[in-house]
């Protein structure tokens, strides 16, 4: 018998994931008086030693998932802080070598905003366009490199499209040129295999809450061989070998460690299930007219599917799909009232950016969730199109690019 | 974003029973029809409003309205709300409808006020189109 659906159905795993119950249970043991609540920096008693042991065990779990040395993992408050630490940290430390940084237009704001800040501080940033599939090509990076380039920062998996960048070849090129390479891998853990011993990456950002861990904790991988130096951005006690001060949040760290340990053991089965959902979903929407998949299907992960439903505005579709929790690239859902800059960079017309919905699946998604979503999706699109003057014009064969609109 | 209950209600009713809520179109060439279309696809909202008028005494009265709107939930709700306000009004009365009337009726948050502005523009344009035909 089918289990009762939990409504609204959560299809926004790329935004955040629920904490795995096994993770939550483990975290509870590091907070109260009867648990290991100590400060990991306390060297004088058992409370501190126990907490430190838990933190180091968690560090090993994180390192183990991405195949690096635990000493290369620096705890941060999340991927945003890790990105800030990596980018500003390298820029500040190596400012005398050069002040040029290469990144892309489809990065997360956690990379773009620190870059903007560096621009205000006198650095020059090149923002690369993705190709039509939503990937950053090595050729575009090669063309942008200058003698004073000190850092390349390119994300591993794009959070809106799910597209995967070739960090192996970008890394080789960067290493050959003596340029540091930072990768925002917030969306990657548990979704693709990462082997840092075989990647020429100097810095990599991680987040716990995209991989069934708690919010408020992340990590930065800082390569030891070859060594990359970063200037600390937060001072106050010299924790994490001086790179990130502040009392370690033991329960959060333990949560991230457990989440990443589970990711390592369950990645294969998670991925297999999600691959099935992805094909089923694609198959279920193929009969809806005038839809566009954003991001190349062959260049992306299966847990994210970004679709534009032409002539229907994304936020209204979200309202019509009230039983489904998804996100949209529509301007109306953003605080800035601008449509998704990622879809714009992809070359999508603003119309299609407004019409986009991102579906993202995860470990707790069920077959019933997918079936239910598909059962209401085409109907919702159809009803909104009945309301849409643009759909009417499309059916009348009017070329909308030739219409003079009253823009406001 | 959390919507007022009024926006959600209006949006859902319009979506579920489009015919009852005046979704549709008149022939724009008919002399008793005025059409207004405002907004742009690139901006994320387009409203098309059509009024059908008849002469009562020496005044034109709006006897029927049809609309179609592409846009967010509050844009659709704003159009639908406007339709309710128009039927039975004289053109002079219809010209008096302000965006604030729509925004207040739907309790639109400040970030959605532009939806009601667009609705006001659509009726102005529809009346203009109608008057030019007379």
């Amino acid at each position: 018998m089918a289990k009762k659906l939990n409504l609204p159905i959560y299809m926004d795993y790329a935004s955040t994931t629920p904490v795995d119950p096994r993770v939550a249970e483990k975290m509870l043991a590091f907070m109260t008086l009867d648990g290991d609540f100590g400060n990991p920096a306390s060297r004088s008693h058992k409370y501190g030693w126990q907490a430190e042991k838990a933190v180091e065990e968690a560090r090993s779990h994180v390192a183990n998932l991405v195949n690096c040395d635990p000493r290369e993992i620096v705890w941060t408050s999340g991927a945003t802080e890790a990105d800030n630490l990596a980018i500003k940290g390298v820029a500040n430390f190596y400012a005398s070598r050069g002040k040029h940084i290469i990144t892309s237009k489809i990065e997360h704001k956690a990379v773009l905003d620190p870059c903007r800040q560096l621009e205000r501080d006198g650095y020059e940033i090149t923002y690369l366009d993705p190709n039509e599939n939503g990937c950053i090509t090595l050729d575009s990076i090669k063309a942008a490199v200058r003698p004073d380039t000190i850092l390349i920062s390119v994300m591993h998996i794009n959070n809106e499209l799910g597209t995967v960048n070739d960090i192996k070849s970008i890394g080789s090129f960067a290493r050959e040129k003596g340029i540091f390479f930072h990768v925002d891998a917030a969306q990657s853990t548990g979704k693709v295999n990462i082997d840092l011993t075989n990647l020429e990456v100097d810095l990599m950002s991680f987040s716990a809450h995209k991989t069934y861990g708690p919010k408020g904790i992340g990590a930065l991988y800082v390569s030891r061989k070859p060594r990359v130096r970063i200037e600390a951005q937060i001072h106050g006690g010299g924790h994490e070998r001086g790179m990130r001060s502040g009392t370690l949040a033991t329960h959060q760290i333990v949560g991230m460690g457990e989440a990443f340990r589970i990711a390592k053991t369950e990645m294969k089965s998670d991925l297999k299930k999600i691959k099935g959902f992805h094909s089923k979903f694609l198959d279920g929407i193929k009969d809806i007219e005038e839809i566009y998949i954003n991001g190349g299907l062959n260049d992306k992960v299966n847990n994210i599917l970004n679709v534009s439903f032409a002539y229907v505005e994304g936020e209204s579709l979200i309202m019509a799909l009230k039983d489904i929790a998804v996100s949209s690239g529509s301007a109306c859902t953003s605080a800035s009232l601008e449509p998704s800059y990622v879809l714009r960079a992809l070359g999508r017309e603003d119309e299609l950016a407004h019409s986009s919905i991102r579906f993202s699946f995860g470990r707790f998604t069920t077959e019933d969730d997918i079936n239910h979503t598909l059962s209401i999706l085409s109907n919702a699109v159809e009803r909104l199109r009945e309301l849409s003057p643009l759909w009417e014009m499309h059916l009348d064969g009017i070329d909308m690019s030739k219409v003079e609109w009253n823009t406001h | 974003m959390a919507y007022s209950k009024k926006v959600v209600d209006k949006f859902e009713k319009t979506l579920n029973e489009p015919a009852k809520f005046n979704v549709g179109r008149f022939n724009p060439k008919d002399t008793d029809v005025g059409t207004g279309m405002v907004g742009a696809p690139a901006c994320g909202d387009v409203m098309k409003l059509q009024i059908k008028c008849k002469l009562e005494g020496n005044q034109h009265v709006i006897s029927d309205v049809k609309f179609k709107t592409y846009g967010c939930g509050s844009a659709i709700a704003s159009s639908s709300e406007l339709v309710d306000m128009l039927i039975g009004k004289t053109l002079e009365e219809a010209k008096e409808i302000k965006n604030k009337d729509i925004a207040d009726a739907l309790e639109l948050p400040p970030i959605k006020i532009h939806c009601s502005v667009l609705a006001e523009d659509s009726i102005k344009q529809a009346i203009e189109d109608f008057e030019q035909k007379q």
Side-chain angles (χ1 to χ4, degrees):
Chain A
M1 205 182 98
K3 219 175 75 186
K4 195 174 165 289
L5 288 171
N6 216 350
L7 294 178
I9 293 167
Y10 193 70
M11 291 257 171
D12 205 13
Y13 278 81
S15 169
T16 192
T17 60
V19 172
D20 191 295
R22 291 165 288 183
V23 170
E25 196 193 331
K26 186 132 193 185
M27 289 172 68
L28 283 175
F30 293 88
M31 286 189 274
T32 50
L33 181 61
D34 57 351
D36 291 325
F37 66 87
N39 186 334
S42 295
R43 294 284 155 83
S44 51
H45 48 69
K46 196 182 166 195
Y47 297 98
W49 304 332
Q50 291 287 89
E52 191 195 17
K53 186 169 161 264
V55 164
E56 293 317 313
E57 198 179 296
R59 203 188 297 275
S60 299
H61 290 321
V62 171
N64 196 26
L65 179 66
V66 295
N67 203 17
C68 70
D69 187 318
R71 289 172 296 176
E72 295 176 308
I73 297 296
V74 174
W75 301 114
T76 64
S77 61
T80 295
E81 191 195 326
D83 289 339
N84 270 267
L85 178 56
I87 294 165
K88 293 177 191 164
V90 163
N92 295 156
F93 197 93
Y94 296 97
S96 61
R97 266 200 214 175
K99 286 194 157 190
H100 180 239
I101 294 170
I102 297 170
T103 187
S104 85
K105 287 183 184 166
I106 61 167
E107 296 300 307
H108 192 274
K109 292 279 182 186
V111 165
L112 294 175
D113 287 348
C115 286
R116 293 275 181 229
Q117 179 59 36
L118 287 173
E119 279 182 298
R120 287 189 283 272
D121 294 339
Y123 291 78
E124 278 182 74
I125 319 282
T126 301
Y127 300 93
L128 301 173
D129 279 308
N131 65 11
E132 58 186 19
N133 289 331
C135 296
I136 306 304
T137 64
L138 180 58
D139 284 344
S140 70
I141 292 174
K142 282 181 177 169
V145 163
R146 308 191 323 204
D148 60 341
T149 307
I150 50 170
L151 177 70
I152 297 169
S153 180
V154 171
M155 70 200 325
H156 191 195
I157 296 178
N158 180 271
N159 50 304
E160 286 192 34
L161 309 170
T163 48
V164 186
N165 285 313
D166 181 4
I167 57 171
K168 181 141 181 77
S169 49
I170 299 172
S172 306
F173 170 74
R175 187 65 51 87
E176 181 194 309
K177 290 276 172 190
I179 301 167
F180 292 113
F181 182 34
H182 166 247
V183 175
D184 177 354
Q187 294 285 348
S188 311
T189 45
K191 278 86 177 179
V192 289
N193 194 37
I194 300 174
D195 180 0
L196 281 167
T197 54
N198 280 311
L199 286 171
E200 285 156 302
V201 170
D202 300 289
L203 299 143
M204 189 178 264
S205 305
F206 303 110
S207 165
H209 77 97
K210 307 280 192 194
T211 311
Y212 313 98
K215 294 164 187 63
I217 187 73
L220 180 65
Y221 158 82
V222 183
S223 167
R224 286 166 66 93
K225 276 182 202 166
R227 191 177 186 201
V228 54
R229 306 284 299 273
I230 50 175
E231 199 173 288
Q233 303 296 310
I234 293 180
H235 306 89
H239 306 72
E240 298 296 277
R241 295 181 308 289
M243 285 184 269
R244 203 283 191 179
S245 289
T247 298
L248 294 176
T250 316
H251 63 298
Q252 301 287 85
I253 289 168
V254 164
M256 181 165 177
E258 182 66 3
F260 278 38
R261 185 192 67 77
I262 295 171
K264 172 112 183 163
T265 59
E266 299 189 359
M267 190 158 95
K268 217 171 153 189
S269 58
D270 281 354
L271 291 184
K272 189 173 168 229
K273 188 177 89 165
I274 285 162
K275 189 176 180 196
F277 290 162
H278 183 258
S279 327
K280 190 178 180 118
F281 206 95
L282 272 182
D283 193 53
I285 60 172
K286 72 174 192 302
D287 291 333
I288 306 177
E289 292 172 74
E290 294 293 316
I291 61 170
Y292 301 86
I293 309 288
N294 298 309
L297 276 176
N298 297 323
D299 296 305
K300 67 174 214 61
V301 286
N302 290 320
N303 58 300
I304 297 176
L305 187 56
N306 191 315
V307 189
S308 287
F309 299 88
Y311 315 117
V312 169
E313 196 278 330
E315 197 212 51
S316 65
L317 184 52
I318 286 180
M319 274 178 83
L321 296 171
K322 62 178 177 179
D323 283 351
I324 320 285
V326 289
S327 64
S328 167
S330 149
C332 290
T333 59
S334 75
S336 63
L337 289 184
E338 289 293 323
S340 156
Y341 63 88
V342 172
L343 293 176
R344 273 185 164 175
L346 200 59
R348 283 282 188 239
E349 299 83 6
D350 281 359
E351 293 88 305
L352 284 176
H354 286 298
S355 301
S356 73
I357 301 280
R358 179 186 68 181
F359 301 90
S360 49
F361 328 116
R363 184 179 292 161
F364 305 109
T365 306
T366 65
E367 186 96 22
D368 284 344
D369 292 342
I370 302 286
N371 289 336
H372 187 70
T373 303
L374 290 171
S375 76
I376 57 179
L377 181 60
S378 44
N379 182 259
V381 171
E382 202 176 300
R383 284 187 299 159
L384 281 164
R385 281 180 174 167
E386 200 183 321
L387 250 71
S388 168
L390 304 181
W391 179 246
E392 185 180 278
M393 292 167 85
H394 166 72
L395 294 179
D396 288 347
I398 295 169
D399 181 354
M400 269 166 267
S401 64
K402 298 208 167 70
V403 176
E404 261 187 59
W405 301 98
N406 295 287
T407 46
H408 53 287
Chain B
M1 118 174 15
Y3 271 121
S4 74
K5 200 175 169 304
K6 288 183 178 165
V7 170
V8 174
D9 276 357
K10 196 77 189 171
F11 170 78
E12 287 183 349
K13 281 179 182 159
T14 308
L15 191 64
N16 292 333
E17 294 182 87
K20 190 178 159 192
F21 285 84
N22 297 66
V23 174
R25 64 165 154 181
F26 298 129
N27 184 348
K29 294 199 175 81
D30 287 351
T31 50
D32 61 345
V33 167
T35 302
M37 188 154 80
V38 295
C43 302
D45 30 35
V46 176
M47 288 183 185
K48 191 181 90 169
L49 184 80
Q50 294 185 299
I51 50 172
K52 188 176 257 187
C53 303
K54 63 179 180 207
L55 206 56
E56 277 183 17
N58 57 354
Q59 297 196 94
H60 283 288
V61 172
I62 298 172
S63 58
D64 201 359
V65 184
K66 294 274 185 228
F67 84 98
K68 285 202 176 185
T69 292
Y70 159 87
C72 64
S74 30
I76 290 171
S78 294
S79 303
S80 189
E81 190 68 33
L82 174 65
V83 167
D84 293 347
M85 294 176 177
L86 288 174
I87 295 177
K89 284 215 165 66
T90 65
L91 290 186
E92 294 313 309
E93 287 166 342
K95 284 176 188 170
E96 294 303 309
I97 295 173
K98 292 282 170 279
N99 78 291
K100 194 173 179 306
D101 304 327
I102 300 160
D104 288 350
L106 289 171
E107 295 169 7
L108 291 181
I111 200 167
K112 295 293 184 186
I113 295 298
H114 73 275
C115 296
S116 63
V117 174
L118 213 56
E120 185 190 320
D121 291 350
S122 72
I123 180 61
K124 279 191 183 137
Q125 224 192 66
I127 293 173
E128 207 173 292
D129 180 57
F130 174 80
E131 288 179 338
Q132 274 172 6
K133 285 181 182 173
Q134 304 311 306

Tab-separated table of all heavy atoms in Angstrom, chain B residues 32-33 51-64 88-91 130 134:
chain	number	residue	atom	x	y	z
B	32	ASP	N	-17.524	47.527	-30.750
B	32	ASP	CA	-17.933	47.716	-29.351
B	32	ASP	C	-16.923	47.142	-28.364
B	32	ASP	O	-17.198	47.006	-27.187
B	32	ASP	CB	-19.327	47.101	-29.112
B	32	ASP	CG	-19.346	45.600	-29.390
B	32	ASP	OD1	-18.392	45.093	-30.033
B	32	ASP	OD2	-20.311	44.927	-28.967
B	33	VAL	N	-15.738	46.787	-28.889
B	33	VAL	CA	-14.698	46.193	-28.028
B	33	VAL	C	-13.479	47.114	-27.965
B	33	VAL	O	-13.048	47.664	-28.966
B	33	VAL	CB	-14.283	44.796	-28.568
B	33	VAL	CG1	-13.005	44.297	-27.889
B	33	VAL	CG2	-15.414	43.795	-28.369
B	51	ILE	N	-12.660	45.199	-23.067
B	51	ILE	CA	-13.970	45.597	-22.557
B	51	ILE	C	-14.963	45.623	-23.714
B	51	ILE	O	-14.608	45.960	-24.848
B	51	ILE	CB	-13.922	46.997	-21.885
B	51	ILE	CG1	-13.240	48.025	-22.800
B	51	ILE	CG2	-13.197	46.933	-20.551
B	51	ILE	CD1	-13.334	49.461	-22.294
B	52	LYS	N	-16.197	45.234	-23.401
B	52	LYS	CA	-17.272	45.333	-24.401
B	52	LYS	C	-18.256	46.350	-23.850
B	52	LYS	O	-18.631	46.259	-22.675
B	52	LYS	CB	-17.932	43.963	-24.590
B	52	LYS	CG	-18.929	43.919	-25.731
B	52	LYS	CD	-19.461	42.518	-25.930
B	52	LYS	CE	-18.811	41.870	-27.132
B	52	LYS	NZ	-19.396	40.574	-27.476
B	53	CYS	N	-18.608	47.347	-24.667
B	53	CYS	CA	-19.425	48.441	-24.154
B	53	CYS	C	-20.740	48.564	-24.908
B	53	CYS	O	-20.839	48.195	-26.076
B	53	CYS	CB	-18.670	49.758	-24.288
B	53	CYS	SG	-17.101	49.736	-23.444
B	54	LYS	N	-21.730	49.049	-24.217
B	54	LYS	CA	-22.981	49.383	-24.917
B	54	LYS	C	-23.432	50.764	-24.468
B	54	LYS	O	-23.071	51.231	-23.378
B	54	LYS	CB	-24.051	48.323	-24.674
B	54	LYS	CG	-24.474	48.174	-23.236
B	54	LYS	CD	-25.560	47.116	-23.131
B	54	LYS	CE	-25.989	46.979	-21.675
B	54	LYS	NZ	-26.517	45.688	-21.325
B	55	LEU	N	-24.209	51.384	-25.339
B	55	LEU	CA	-24.653	52.745	-25.073
B	55	LEU	C	-25.906	52.700	-24.195
B	55	LEU	O	-26.882	52.035	-24.512
B	55	LEU	CB	-24.954	53.434	-26.407
B	55	LEU	CG	-24.834	54.959	-26.434
B	55	LEU	CD1	-23.459	55.429	-25.979
B	55	LEU	CD2	-25.118	55.455	-27.847
B	56	GLU	N	-25.847	53.366	-23.070
B	56	GLU	CA	-27.027	53.486	-22.211
B	56	GLU	C	-27.263	54.966	-22.009
B	56	GLU	O	-26.472	55.643	-21.362
B	56	GLU	CB	-26.795	52.788	-20.863
B	56	GLU	CG	-27.050	51.296	-20.929
B	56	GLU	CD	-26.887	50.593	-19.591
B	56	GLU	OE1	-26.887	51.279	-18.550
B	56	GLU	OE2	-26.741	49.364	-19.593
B	57	GLY	N	-28.375	55.463	-22.615
B	57	GLY	CA	-28.591	56.906	-22.608
B	57	GLY	C	-27.517	57.533	-23.474
B	57	GLY	O	-27.307	57.106	-24.607
B	58	ASN	N	-26.774	58.474	-22.929
B	58	ASN	CA	-25.692	59.063	-23.719
B	58	ASN	C	-24.317	58.585	-23.242
B	58	ASN	O	-23.306	59.153	-23.575
B	58	ASN	CB	-25.784	60.596	-23.688
B	58	ASN	CG	-25.739	61.117	-22.267
B	58	ASN	OD1	-25.760	60.326	-21.323
B	58	ASN	ND2	-25.657	62.430	-22.121
B	59	GLN	N	-24.326	57.517	-22.399
B	59	GLN	CA	-23.044	57.042	-21.864
B	59	GLN	C	-22.743	55.601	-22.281
B	59	GLN	O	-23.647	54.788	-22.408
B	59	GLN	CB	-23.086	57.074	-20.330
B	59	GLN	CG	-23.256	58.435	-19.745
B	59	GLN	CD	-22.888	58.379	-18.266
B	59	GLN	OE1	-21.756	58.646	-17.901
B	59	GLN	NE2	-23.837	58.015	-17.439
B	60	HIS	N	-21.455	55.333	-22.440
B	60	HIS	CA	-21.040	53.957	-22.702
B	60	HIS	C	-20.832	53.233	-21.376
B	60	HIS	O	-20.153	53.742	-20.492
B	60	HIS	CB	-19.732	53.928	-23.505
B	60	HIS	CG	-19.927	54.224	-24.941
B	60	HIS	ND1	-20.514	53.336	-25.809
B	60	HIS	CD2	-19.634	55.325	-25.667
B	60	HIS	CE1	-20.576	53.855	-27.012
B	60	HIS	NE2	-20.050	55.079	-26.962
B	61	VAL	N	-21.457	52.054	-21.291
B	61	VAL	CA	-21.334	51.260	-20.069
B	61	VAL	C	-20.628	49.948	-20.413
B	61	VAL	O	-20.862	49.358	-21.482
B	61	VAL	CB	-22.739	50.977	-19.476
B	61	VAL	CG1	-22.650	49.987	-18.320
B	61	VAL	CG2	-23.394	52.268	-19.036
B	62	ILE	N	-19.738	49.517	-19.522
B	62	ILE	CA	-19.010	48.260	-19.762
B	62	ILE	C	-19.952	47.095	-19.446
B	62	ILE	O	-20.357	46.903	-18.300
B	62	ILE	CB	-17.738	48.182	-18.894
B	62	ILE	CG1	-16.790	49.335	-19.254
B	62	ILE	CG2	-17.043	46.829	-19.066
B	62	ILE	CD1	-15.588	49.485	-18.343
B	63	SER	N	-20.307	46.335	-20.491
B	63	SER	CA	-21.275	45.259	-20.283
B	63	SER	C	-20.588	43.922	-20.054
B	63	SER	O	-21.135	43.029	-19.416
B	63	SER	CB	-22.210	45.165	-21.482
B	63	SER	OG	-21.441	44.937	-22.643
B	64	ASP	N	-19.385	43.777	-20.569
B	64	ASP	CA	-18.680	42.501	-20.384
B	64	ASP	C	-17.164	42.754	-20.498
B	64	ASP	O	-16.741	43.729	-21.124
B	64	ASP	CB	-19.126	41.488	-21.448
B	64	ASP	CG	-18.851	40.044	-21.008
B	64	ASP	OD1	-18.303	39.846	-19.900
B	64	ASP	OD2	-19.190	39.128	-21.783
B	88	GLY	N	-20.442	46.826	-15.513
B	88	GLY	CA	-21.560	47.690	-15.111
B	88	GLY	C	-21.162	49.146	-14.929
B	88	GLY	O	-22.023	50.008	-14.733
B	89	LYS	N	-19.863	49.415	-14.992
B	89	LYS	CA	-19.428	50.802	-14.806
B	89	LYS	C	-19.469	51.574	-16.125
B	89	LYS	O	-19.304	50.993	-17.204
B	89	LYS	CB	-17.985	50.828	-14.266
B	89	LYS	CG	-17.891	50.466	-12.789
B	89	LYS	CD	-16.786	51.273	-12.110
B	89	LYS	CE	-16.887	51.217	-10.609
B	89	LYS	NZ	-16.645	49.896	-10.023
B	90	THR	N	-19.687	52.884	-16.021
B	90	THR	CA	-19.549	53.717	-17.213
B	90	THR	C	-18.070	53.911	-17.457
B	90	THR	O	-17.248	53.700	-16.558
B	90	THR	CB	-20.194	55.106	-17.012
B	90	THR	OG1	-19.444	55.790	-15.990
B	90	THR	CG2	-21.647	55.004	-16.592
B	91	LEU	N	-17.714	54.317	-18.667
B	91	LEU	CA	-16.292	54.513	-18.969
B	91	LEU	C	-15.700	55.577	-18.063
B	91	LEU	O	-14.541	55.476	-17.637
B	91	LEU	CB	-16.100	54.902	-20.436
B	91	LEU	CG	-16.394	53.791	-21.455
B	91	LEU	CD1	-16.020	54.259	-22.852
B	91	LEU	CD2	-15.652	52.502	-21.120
B	130	PHE	N	-11.047	51.770	-27.232
B	130	PHE	CA	-12.480	51.806	-27.520
B	130	PHE	C	-12.886	53.191	-28.012
B	130	PHE	O	-13.592	53.326	-29.018
B	130	PHE	CB	-13.283	51.432	-26.271
B	130	PHE	CG	-14.762	51.579	-26.451
B	130	PHE	CD1	-15.500	50.605	-27.115
B	130	PHE	CD2	-15.426	52.722	-25.999
B	130	PHE	CE1	-16.866	50.752	-27.312
B	130	PHE	CE2	-16.797	52.874	-26.197
B	130	PHE	CZ	-17.515	51.888	-26.850
B	134	GLN	N	-14.781	54.991	-31.804
B	134	GLN	CA	-16.127	55.583	-31.876
B	134	GLN	C	-16.178	56.773	-32.844
B	134	GLN	O	-15.198	57.412	-33.111
B	134	GLN	CB	-16.579	56.011	-30.469
B	134	GLN	CG	-16.542	54.883	-29.454
B	134	GLN	CD	-17.210	53.585	-29.912
B	134	GLN	OE1	-18.380	53.596	-30.322
B	134	GLN	NE2	-16.501	52.472	-29.885
